[in-house]
Every structure is written in C-alpha cells, then in structure tokens.
Amino acid sequence: MSDQATAMEQTSAGTVIVEARGVSRNFPQRQGLFGEKRDVWALRKIDIDIRRGEALGVVGESGCGKSTLGRLLLALDDPTEGTVTFEGQALNEMRGAPLRALRQRMQMIFQDPFGSLDPRRSIGAQIADGLRNHQTVPPAEINAEVARLMDLVGLDPVTATRRPHEFSGGQRQRIAVARALAPRPDFIVADEPVSALDVSIAAQIVNLLADLRDDLNLAMLFISHDLHVVRHLSSRLVVMYLGRIVEEGPTEAIFAAPRHPYTRALLSATPSVRRPAGYRGAILEGELPSPADPPSGCAFRTRCPLAVAACAGAVPELEDIGDKRRVACIRHADMVAP
Amino acid sequence: MTRAQRSLTLWLAVALILVAFPIAAPILPLQSTVAIDIPGRFDGPSAEHWLGQDELGRDVLSRIIWGARASLIVAFGSAFFAAVIGTILGLVGGYFRGLAEILAVRSTEIIICLPPLLLALLVITILGAGIDTLIMALTILFVPKYTRVVYAATLQTGALDFVTAQESMGTHPMRILARTVLPNIFPPLLVQFSLTVASGILLESGLSFLGLGVVPPAPSWGLMIRAARAALDVQPLLLLWPSLALAGTVLLLNVICDRLQEVITPRTAERGGAAWLRRQLGLTKPEPVADDTPLLAIRDLSVAVSTERGTIGLTDTVGFTLKPGETMALVGESGSGKTLTGLATTGLLPNALKITNGSALFRDCSGTVLDLAKLTEDQFRPLRGNDISMVFQDASASLNPVHRIGDQLAEVIAEHRKLPRAEIDTLVVDLLRRVGIPDPEQRRRAYPFELSGGQRQRAMIAMAIANSPRLLIADEPTTALDPTIQAQILRLLDGLKDENRDMGMIFVTHNLAVVKEIADTVSVMYAGEVVEQGSVAEIFERPRHPYTAALLASVPESESTRLESIPGTVPRAGEMPEGCRFAPRCKHAADICASVDGLQTLADGRRTACIRWETVT
Ligand SMILES: Nc1ncnc2c1ncn2[C@@H]1O[C@H](COP(=O)(O)OP(=O)(O)O)[C@@H](O)[C@H]1O
Ligand code: SF4
Ligand code: SF4
Ligand SMILES: [Mg+2]
C-alpha cells in the first residue's frame, strides 16, 4: 500500500466510535407450557469496530442475527454477555435519562419504508420528534430545521404537512433518513434500508447514504442480504452465519476471493444480470439450522460442500489470515483458487 | 371535507338530536312517568298519549324518553369506564410485557372465566341494586374484553418499526404509548366500544328484568321490555317501542363508529360501493368465451380508480399472453401497475378500482375459456386458490398476528381439500420445510411476530403454493428473501411447473437479475403501460426502450462506486404526460415523442413503445 493511501486511511477512516467485544445474546425459549427453558443464542462472541466515516457492511441470511446485532449496538437491547461501548462508554451499564440522551447520537433506518413511519402523523411532525426530544435546536427553529433536513435528503419541504401514505416507497425511505438525521447522530444503523425499494430508487438511496457518510463523517452499520448493494457502500464487510462472524475483511478482497465456503455460496446464489438467461448456479441445499439446536463444531457444516469430519469438533476460531482478513473455517487454505 | 367526514357529521347530528330528548326530559312538556291511570290500561296511541299507555296506564312516550336516561347512562358509562381501565391494562401489558403482562392481562382473564350474570349478581348483592352499582358491575364485566383487544393490538403495533424508531430516538415510554401506540390501536378499540355499548344496553335490560338493575317504578328500556312481554297478546305495541329504541340506538352507534373509523384511517383511495351489492349481481354461472387461448391472454386491459375528482386511469391497454409451462416476468418500478395487473387477473382489485376496458381470457381446469375481467366475486371464488393463486408482496400484512402460522396454513389447505387433520398437519410441516423455514415442527407453532421478516415471507409463500395452482401470480415473492433461500424458492417455483406442466406463472418483480434467471419472456411496465416486450435473452442482450436500458444500468453490479439512477420519479396517476410517459425522465426525449401511442411490433417480432428506438437503442 502506498504512503498516500495509508495517510488517507488515517484521516478519513477516522476513530473507532462503536466497539463490540465478545457480544452474545441469548433468547431462552420454553419448551411447551411447563417445559424447561432452552438457550437460543441469536449472537455468539461478536467483536467489531466501527469507525467514523465508515459504513461497515453486514451480510448474512435472515435469522443470522444481523438485526439483533444492530439493536444491541443501539442499546435497544442488552447483550447477555460482552460489552458494547459507544465512544468508550459501556452501554449496558446505562439506564433511563442518560441512555435516552445518548440515543440521540445513534439512530436507525429500517427496511420497511411503510412500517417505519407512523401513518397517523405528518412527516414533518415525525422528523421534528428527534429535534424536540433532545432540544437539538430551539423550538422556534424547529420548522426551519425540518425544512433543511428534508432538503438535505431531496424532499420538497412544502410536503412536510402530508402524512406518509401520500409518498412513494423511495420518498418514505428519504423521510426515514431525514428523521434519523434530525438529532445529528454520529452513528446510524441501516437495517436493510434498500431491500424493499426499486433498483433505480435503491440506487438513489445508496448514493444518498454514501454522501451523508462522507459529508457528515458518519459511522454506519449497513445491514443487507444483497451483496451487490453492500459492495457499493462498504469498504469493509462482515459475513455472518447463525449468530457468528464467519468472514471479515475488505469488501473487494472478499468479492475477488472469498475464503469461507459460506461466503462463496452466498456470492453464487446472488442473482446477476451478467449471467446467461436461465442460469442455475450451485444451490446451497438445506436450511439454516435452528438456533435452538445448532450443529456441533462449525455451524455451517450441515450445508458446507467442503465439510470434513473434523468440522464437527470445535467451533472454528475467527483466524487472522493477513491482508486485514479474518475467517472462521478450518479449510480456508483450500479455498484459495488453485 | 371528504365523503366519509360528511357522512360522519350527518350521523353525529342525528345522534345529537336524539340524545337531546332524554337530556332535556326535565324541561320537556312530558307527562309523568309514574302517574297511574287504570281505566287507560293498554290503550293504543292517542292525541294525549302519542305512543299509548302501558299496563298501569302510564304514558309510554315519557317513559321511553326518561328510560333512555337510565339505559344510556348505564351502557355508555360502563362501556366508557371499562374502555379506560381496559385500555390502560392492555397497553401496559402489551408494551412492557414481563410482570406487567401477567398482572394486567392474565389477571383479567380470570374474570372472563366467570359466568357474567353470576359476577353481576355478586357485585349487586354486595352493594345493593341501583344505577351506580349496575355501572360498576358492568364495568368489571367489560374490562377484560377491552384488555384483550388492546393487548393484541399493542403487541402488533409495538413490534412495528415506527415504534422502535421512537424508542431509538430516546422518547419516553409513556409518551410513546400515548402518542404513537394509542392512536394506532384506536380502530379496534372503537369497534369494541360500539359492541360493548350494545351489550351494555342488553345486559341492563336483562338485569333490570331480574330486578337487579333499575328499581321500579323508575323507567328503563329493559324494564319496559320485561313488562311488555307479559302483556304481548293484549298490546303488542308496548314491546315495539322500547325494542325500536334499543335497536335504533345500537344501529346508530355502529354506523357512527364505522364512519369514525373511516375518517381516522388514512388511505389513498376512497372506498367504493358495498361489497354485498356486488356479490348480489353474481348469482349466475360465468359465460364461456369462444377463444383458442391456451392459458391466458390479456388484451387492452385498463384499470381505473374512481375518486372525488372523477375516474383516473391507472393502467392503460396492457396486453400479453401466457402459455402453459411458461413464465412471464412483469418488471418495472413500484407504482408502474404490475401489481394492479395481477390483482385484476385474480379479481382482487380493491373496491374503488374497476376494470374499464379490455379482457383477460383464461382457460380453466375444465378447458372452458372465461373472461376474468367480467367475472363477479361469486364466480371468482371457486377459481381462486384452485385454478389461480397469488403470492403477495407484503407478508406481515397478509398474516394474521394472533394465529400460529401452522394453523393459518392448515386453514388454507382445509378450505380447498377435505383431508384428515393428521394429513394436513404433515402437509403443513412439509410445506414449511419446502419454503426453507428452519425447524418446521417447532416453528409452525410460532406467531408471526416471533419470526424474522424473511421467515414470515416464507410462511406466506407456503400458503400460496399449498394447493398447486394452474396460474400462479407471484408478486415480488422473493424480494424479502436471502440469496441462498431466494435461489431455493426460484428453484421451488420452477419445480412446481415441472410437477404441473399446465401451470403458467406471472412473476412480478423489480429485480432484473431475478428476471434473467426465472423468466422466459418479459413485459417491462412503466407508468401503467407496457413499454417493451420480448424474450429474456433478447431484451437483456439489447434493450429496445430507453427505460429498459436505464433500469439495467441502475443494477448495482457495475464497478463504479456511484450507482446510475434514473432521475425523478414515476409521474402520478392522472398527471401523465401526453405521448411517451417516460419522456420527462428520458435523456433522449424529443418533440416527436409526444406522438407515441402504444407498442409497435418490430421486424424481428419484438415490441417497443419507443418511437425513436432505431436511433437511441
Ligand atoms: N425477541 C426475540 N425473541 C426470540 N427470538 C428472537 C427475538 N428476536 C430475534 N430472535 C431470533 O434471533 C435470531 C436472529 O434474528 P435477527 O437478528 O432478526 O436476524 P436477521 O436480522 O439476520 O434476519 C432469529 O432466529 C430470531 O428468530
Ligand atoms: S469449518 Fe468445515 S464445515 Fe465449516 S466452513 Fe470450513 S470446511 Fe465447511
Ligand atoms: S419515445 Fe422518446 S421519450 Fe419516450 S423513451 Fe423513446 S426517446 Fe425517450
Ligand atoms: Mg433483519
């Protein structure tokens, strides 16, 4: 890497703002009416750092714990084990008013642009909520600030008095972005923000998020199940399977040569306009195992084409393989293209 | 003022006028309610006694009006107090869960277990008869009903993203409950209120009848009905008046609650006529059409919405054909009319929408060709779920939040196939497994809110494929799914076609990459029109319409960091530009584009609506 690139990285990649260390979340489930409670781990031993000006991409199948991770990082939920820190403050030790005050600095954008807005209140009032809760601006300036935010995300401020049903999906997602930006956050969790949108509109929102990340130096957790979209926004990528990180590293490197069999399967399952019509790639057979009863050893072994007897032993460690990449597979060396 | 608001105002005015009578009773020139006139017993209506006289010769009119005071105070009072208490319990229990849930919700369920009359008797025996006690007894009876309704609605609303959005914004929980949750559970609350008032009036009459409510000689509708029943053969009119008052009040209240709900629920299109009226027209068998279409031929299909401002066209002269075993993709941005075309083909258009032109010829299982565009609701019902089935876009809205997903799936199967319960159970587990729900034996017992979004979508797909349809209309069925599961579902849908070679599929999607993998032919829709049509291979190789080309360019697969996006948005219905509807967003637009009129067929058999295709594509 050239000196210039290193210098760039130090300034633009910025400081770590959100940090998760050994984070696990258990949702114990009762078996039947009087049965015993069984552990159901939605997340296991997650370590991640998110820096200012960076959108960390998280991909994985639904149920793998992406949303749970997002909620933990925003203190909407507490980890069963481990800690989440925001600028060095441990979130799980905070409660009540101080926590609500801190929440102003972390916001969320949801997948469903229809479900994430209250259908009964004007969009201006909903954007203003975040301003009022934390007195971001003096009451007299709220209307002007709402107009500024709407303008920022490409909405016409005169539409502030309308209710959500008068807007299209893409416009609603812009409203949701404006609402998230209102309290001037430093960190945003975007949970599948473009999955419900049209391609051409998704492209607009992805470009908007990229601009905001750069202009406001935001830290972002960008959750998606579409690898192609993540590639456009995130320079660093985390791949999750059944509550664990299985691969992590620079997005381009992972795309060029995935080192975990699951990542490779994910890439080949993602439909592409560049493949011939009627293309049928190798399909990952089987189902995501129940988190209530995960396979021993590597959780992916029930579907993994490379699985060997040893995979049923210990859970593979997330191993550093150089080039800032980490992978949790005992056969990662066999994944290097011959 | 919208139509619903006008209607609400009207009915409120009617109610106010009626309520004014009992309120003004003390100053109205009414006769005494207790003055006995033995010679005038059971006399019919007269100039002096407009509604006649009762078994003791008392004036019926003044007893109805005074009686309304007791009856309405008891009914509205208990319904109101129960609503307040039940709503608080339900909100707190449903939102905070845990201990609050046990205290608030489970405890009220004990009340439900007790027989209502016994409970009322208990309270009244302890506190003595009278209006206050009656209100208290009925309040206790009604609280659990509200608690249940509010609890269920709160669970559902509390899981919605906009409530989480409030939490993540650091809003105080009480504020969230009052400002966000409460308004959104108002519609079911309103329904419950009108039901409770009605049952309050009935219970008042029942309890007064047993001598436990209003104490004679004070009048109430319940007491009047009781007395009139004993004298039914002497003077039947005596039963008519209080019954009319009772029925009138209940009906009026229902109408008002109905209208109120319409007014407070935001929606884009206003509701059309009554569904039962449309159903009345459909008692005949559908007319077969002489046509040789092998499966489906849509011709010039136009759908319009009727609004306050008149009829607005939503889709315009859409046409395509589908052969058995073929998959056609309808692709385009949301709002382009893909879903409407699908709904029109399944007879599921919302009330305010109508097919204004064109036909949809469909060959059913028996080989008869029917025009789906002309079928009535009754003629459609046997087709739906058997011949034609649909996978909807929005799983969370299509699943019932208070039923387990396995039960909902079993219901869909049982509706169309007579099978023993055990066999249905096996099918349910099998279907859930086929759509990729992990641990189906366990998961079928889950409620929709316990599943992640992707898993809910899978349950929905299981319901649609449960009865192996002949025409499957899949509206964005894989949009919310993960790539590996999407790949499995696409293969699953393909497999369904292999099992059933007569089946054709319309695959509605905005994802071009999926189109390329699943479909044989494509119709690209924009702003309510088909703008390009052809085989998948040809269209992806060389689009013949700038819109198709722009869509392909915005697919996030390029190497560049910035994505191509089409500037602007789809024009609103009713504000369509003349000629080519894509012109305002098209970088090749020219004056001649205003003369575009529908698809033209090119020499190679492909079809495009772009008049400048030769120069710009
Ligand atoms: N409140 C909850 N109670 C029980 N299980 C839950 C809860 N929230 C999430 N889960 C479970 O945790 C797992 C991870 O879910 P989620 O984080 O939503 O996944 P993703 O966002 O990757 O789709 C799933 O198996 C889900 O059913
Ligand atoms: S550890 Fe084994 S089962 Fe797991 S991904 Fe690697 S090869 Fe496959
Ligand atoms: S007709 Fe004109 S405006 Fe329409 S797509 Fe073709 S070039 Fe563009
Ligand atoms: Mg999720």
Side-chain angles (χ1 to χ4, degrees):
Chain A
M1 196 179 287
S2 73
D3 290 342
Q4 194 193 354
T6 323
M8 275 267 296
E9 199 182 327
Q10 271 159 5
T11 48
S12 73
T15 44
V16 172
I17 179 162
V18 179
E19 212 178 70
R21 285 292 169 267
V23 164
S24 301
R25 178 64 165 103
N26 186 11
F27 291 108
Q29 240 174 26
R30 200 179 286 286
Q31 299 302 113
L33 196 54
F34 301 105
E36 264 175 65
K37 280 207 169 177
R38 189 156 65 156
D39 288 347
V40 182
W41 293 95
L43 281 182
R44 278 323 268 277
K45 307 206 174 103
I46 303 290
D47 295 330
I48 50 171
D49 299 329
I50 304 170
R51 297 179 180 80
R52 280 186 189 278
E54 168 191 75
L56 176 65
V58 178
V59 295
E61 290 174 276
S62 59
C64 75
K66 306 183 299 292
S67 297
T68 305
L69 177 63
R71 291 176 59 89
L72 287 174
L73 297 186
L74 291 177
L76 288 169
D77 189 13
D78 288 326
T80 315
E81 288 165 11
T83 50
V84 177
T85 56
F86 184 84
E87 287 190 332
Q89 289 172 280
L91 292 179
N92 35 337
E93 288 161 14
M94 299 179 75
R95 285 280 175 277
L99 179 60
R100 282 202 292 275
L102 193 61
R103 280 204 173 137
Q104 142 188 33
R105 306 191 41 206
M106 331 186 250
Q107 291 298 316
M108 182 146 182
I109 300 167
F110 299 86
Q111 167 174 2
D112 178 8
F114 294 83
S116 66
L117 296 170
D118 187 340
R120 287 166 204 285
R121 300 174 57 225
S122 77
I123 60 153
Q126 297 191 56
I127 296 173
D129 278 345
L131 300 171
R132 263 192 210 104
N133 282 341
H134 306 285
Q135 284 98 44
T136 314
V137 295
E141 288 167 30
I142 284 182
N143 285 342
E145 179 69 5
V146 168
R148 189 187 72 82
L149 287 164
M150 289 181 69
D151 202 48
L152 186 66
V153 299
L155 289 166
D156 185 351
V158 300
T159 56
T161 53
R162 300 198 187 153
R163 287 191 288 177
H165 70 268
E166 297 185 46
F167 295 88
S168 69
Q171 287 171 322
R172 287 186 213 206
Q173 206 58 303
R174 289 175 189 267
I175 299 166
V177 174
R179 179 181 60 182
L181 291 175
R184 302 193 184 153
D186 298 292
F187 173 49
I188 287 186
V189 171
D191 193 352
E192 312 241 11
V194 299
S195 304
L197 301 179
D198 291 321
V199 262
S200 66
I201 307 297
Q204 294 177 5
I205 298 288
V206 168
N207 288 341
L208 171 66
L209 290 176
D211 290 345
L212 294 172
R213 173 198 61 199
D214 297 341
D215 298 349
L216 308 177
N217 202 22
L218 289 174
M220 255 187 229
L221 185 77
F222 185 81
I223 299 174
S224 178
H225 63 254
D226 186 342
L227 283 157
H228 295 307
V229 173
V230 176
R231 193 177 184 181
H232 279 275
L233 199 60
S234 303
S235 51
R236 220 152 52 86
L237 182 62
V238 163
V239 182
M240 288 179 63
Y241 189 80
L242 211 66
R244 292 180 194 267
I245 295 177
V246 294
E247 181 158 12
E248 185 192 335
T251 311
E252 284 314 318
I254 293 180
F255 265 78
R259 294 291 290 276
H260 194 284
Y262 176 64
T263 314
R264 185 166 68 184
L266 211 52
L267 277 168
S268 93
T270 308
S272 162
V273 291
R274 297 187 171 187
R275 293 183 192 148
Y279 172 87
R280 288 280 177 279
I283 277 194
L284 201 52
E285 295 299 341
E287 305 141 10
L288 196 65
S290 161
D293 191 15
S296 64
C298 174
F300 187 56
R301 74 183 164 85
T302 50
R303 303 168 82 189
C304 179
L306 296 187
V308 291
C311 301
V315 177
E317 289 290 321
L318 198 55
E319 197 182 320
D320 205 320
I321 57 165
D323 296 333
K324 297 190 177 137
R325 296 181 64 171
R326 297 195 293 164
V327 60
C329 169
I330 55 171
R331 297 193 59 188
H332 68 80
D334 299 331
M335 288 284 297
V336 182
Chain B
M1 217 165 26
T2 65
R3 213 187 60 206
Q5 279 170 334
R6 274 199 304 273
S7 171
L8 175 67
T9 322
L10 179 77
W11 286 107
L12 276 179
V14 172
L16 267 181
I17 293 170
L18 290 179
V19 167
F21 282 100
I23 290 176
I27 56 163
L28 287 179
L30 290 173
Q31 309 207 5
S32 158
T33 56
V34 291
I36 295 176
D37 170 25
I38 298 299
R41 289 179 78 209
F42 299 121
D43 275 0
S46 62
E48 207 178 329
H49 304 284
W50 292 357
L51 299 185
Q53 287 166 278
D54 73 359
E55 73 281 0
L56 295 175
R58 295 173 294 196
D59 181 58
V60 172
L61 178 64
S62 65
R63 284 182 72 79
I64 289 263
I65 293 179
W66 279 97
R69 290 170 76 108
S71 296
L72 295 184
I73 285 175
V74 169
F76 278 92
S78 56
F80 176 77
F81 288 126
V84 172
I85 300 171
T87 304
I88 292 173
L89 290 179
L91 274 178
V92 170
Y95 187 72
F96 295 106
R97 313 294 305 273
L99 191 63
E101 181 177 0
I102 294 171
L103 290 180
V105 183
R106 306 288 165 225
S107 65
T108 57
E109 283 178 357
I110 298 171
I111 300 181
I112 291 185
C113 299
L114 300 173
L117 268 180
L118 193 73
L119 198 74
L121 271 175
L122 194 73
V123 177
I124 293 163
T125 327
I126 296 172
L127 296 172
I131 287 190
D132 299 353
T133 336
L134 203 52
I135 293 180
M136 196 186 298
L138 292 184
T139 302
I140 296 175
L141 266 185
F142 292 151
V143 162
K145 299 188 180 175
Y146 284 104
T147 312
R148 271 192 170 184
V149 167
V150 172
Y151 171 70
T154 307
L155 275 188
Q156 194 188 352
T157 311
L160 293 180
D161 289 344
F162 59 83
V163 179
T164 316
Q166 288 280 342
E167 284 166 20
S168 79
M169 234 171 312
T171 311
H172 195 277
M174 285 305 158
R175 216 173 142 84
I176 297 180
L177 277 183
R179 206 176 49 181
T180 306
V181 180
L182 188 60
N184 279 291
I185 60 167
F186 212 65
L189 196 58
L190 210 56
V191 173
Q192 188 58 36
F193 185 77
S194 71
L195 290 176
T196 322
V197 169
S199 86
I201 295 180
L202 295 173
L203 273 171
E204 179 276 323
S205 53
L207 288 168
S208 298
F209 189 86
L210 293 173
L212 295 171
V214 178
V215 188
S220 87
W221 293 349
L223 285 172
M224 293 178 74
I225 290 175
R226 167 196 182 185
R229 276 186 19 180
L232 195 58
D233 24 315
V234 193
Q235 183 49 284
L237 277 182
L238 282 184
L239 185 60
L240 180 70
W241 305 127
S243 306
L244 266 186
L246 192 75
T249 310
V250 171
L251 274 177
L252 187 60
L253 187 68
N254 279 338
V255 170
I256 289 177
C257 286
D258 232 40
R259 293 298 177 281
L260 189 57
Q261 190 166 342
E262 237 170 78
V263 169
I264 61 177
T265 307
R267 66 172 107 232
T268 15
E270 289 211 22
R271 249 187 3 179
W276 62 269
L277 247 180
R278 296 196 308 172
R279 237 175 268 142
Q280 287 296 305
L281 303 171
L283 298 173
T284 48
K285 274 204 117 19
E287 283 284 316
V289 185
D291 195 277
D292 59 359
T293 178
L295 180 58
L296 182 71
I298 307 268
R299 291 182 194 140
D300 294 338
L301 194 69
S302 303
V303 173
V305 60
S306 36
T307 68
E308 302 257 284
R309 284 152 288 148
T311 308
I312 298 175
L314 296 177
T315 69
D316 195 28
T317 56
V318 170
F320 55 82
T321 57
L322 184 69
K323 297 194 216 42
E326 191 178 59
T327 299
M328 188 203 74
L330 260 184
V331 69
E333 284 171 279
S334 61
S336 59
K338 312 181 295 288
T339 297
L340 280 188
T341 305
L343 289 176
T345 316
T346 41
L348 290 174
L349 285 176
N351 276 348
L353 304 192
K354 284 195 301 285
I355 295 176
T356 49
N357 186 33
S359 59
L361 304 180
F362 171 68
R363 188 176 293 274
D364 71 8
C365 292
S366 62
T368 324
V369 176
L370 303 170
D371 185 355
L372 299 177
K374 301 212 164 49
L375 297 193
T376 58
E377 175 59 23
D378 269 359
Q379 294 167 336
F380 238 123
R381 210 170 302 118
L383 289 179
R384 240 183 261 132
N386 261 340
D387 297 72
I388 304 176
S389 159
M390 196 156 179
V391 180
F392 290 102
Q393 195 170 2
D394 183 0
S396 26
S398 311
L399 292 170
N400 187 330
V402 297
H403 290 295
R404 301 172 195 277
I405 53 157
D407 294 345
Q408 297 188 50
L409 193 45
E411 203 175 302
V412 172
I413 299 171
E415 189 135 312
H416 293 279
R417 286 190 267 171
K418 301 255 170 302
L419 291 175
R421 182 73 216 182
E423 218 166 297
I424 290 186
D425 281 348
T426 325
L427 275 176
V428 165
V429 172
D430 196 48
L431 276 164
L432 289 176
R433 179 173 297 124
R434 275 168 80 193
V435 295
I437 288 187
D439 204 1
E441 277 91 357
Q442 285 292 327
R443 279 284 150 167
R444 74 190 160 119
R445 299 212 185 84
Y447 291 95
F449 72 87
E450 292 174 310
L451 302 177
S452 68
Q455 289 170 349
R456 272 199 296 269
Q457 191 72 26
R458 289 173 213 185
M460 183 65 219
I461 290 172
M463 275 183 217
I465 61 172
N467 292 312
S468 313
R470 181 170 147 80
L471 171 61
L472 181 65
I473 301 178
D475 191 342
E476 307 268 8
T478 61
T479 302
L481 298 180
D482 305 301
T484 67
I485 302 302
Q486 169 166 280
Q488 290 178 2
I489 297 283
L490 292 180
R491 188 163 284 186
L492 171 71
L493 292 171
D494 244 14
L496 280 181
K497 279 196 307 180
D498 288 340
E499 287 166 28
N500 182 357
R501 292 230 155 256
D502 295 333
M503 187 182 87
M505 180 158 67
I506 299 178
F507 197 98
V508 177
T509 182
H510 67 262
N511 188 335
L512 290 163
V514 170
V515 171
K516 195 155 185 193
E517 297 200 356
I518 185 96
D520 306 309
T521 61
V522 196
S523 295
V524 182
M525 287 193 75
Y526 181 78
E529 293 179 331
V530 175
V531 295
E532 181 166 10
Q533 221 162 41
S535 76
V536 167
E538 288 168 341
I539 282 185
F540 279 79
E541 173 68 31
R542 178 126 197 229
R544 287 298 196 187
H545 195 284
Y547 176 63
T548 317
L551 267 188
L552 277 168
S554 64
V555 170
E557 287 186 44
S558 59
E559 305 293 330
S560 73
T561 25
R562 267 199 105 65
L563 290 169
E564 289 285 328
S565 63
I566 307 175
T569 47
V570 184
R572 280 167 169 262
E575 294 164 18
M576 291 298 166
E578 273 298 304
C580 177
R581 294 183 173 180
F582 186 56
R585 300 171 77 187
C586 180
K587 56 184 174 203
H588 307 295
D591 289 345
I592 190 179
C593 301
S595 65
V596 166
D597 181 27
L599 288 171
Q600 49 176 318
T601 307
L602 312 183
D604 55 4
R606 293 179 54 180
R607 310 180 77 200
T608 175
C610 178
I611 207 162
R612 305 188 60 207
W613 66 272
E614 245 166 331
T615 36
V616 302
T617 61

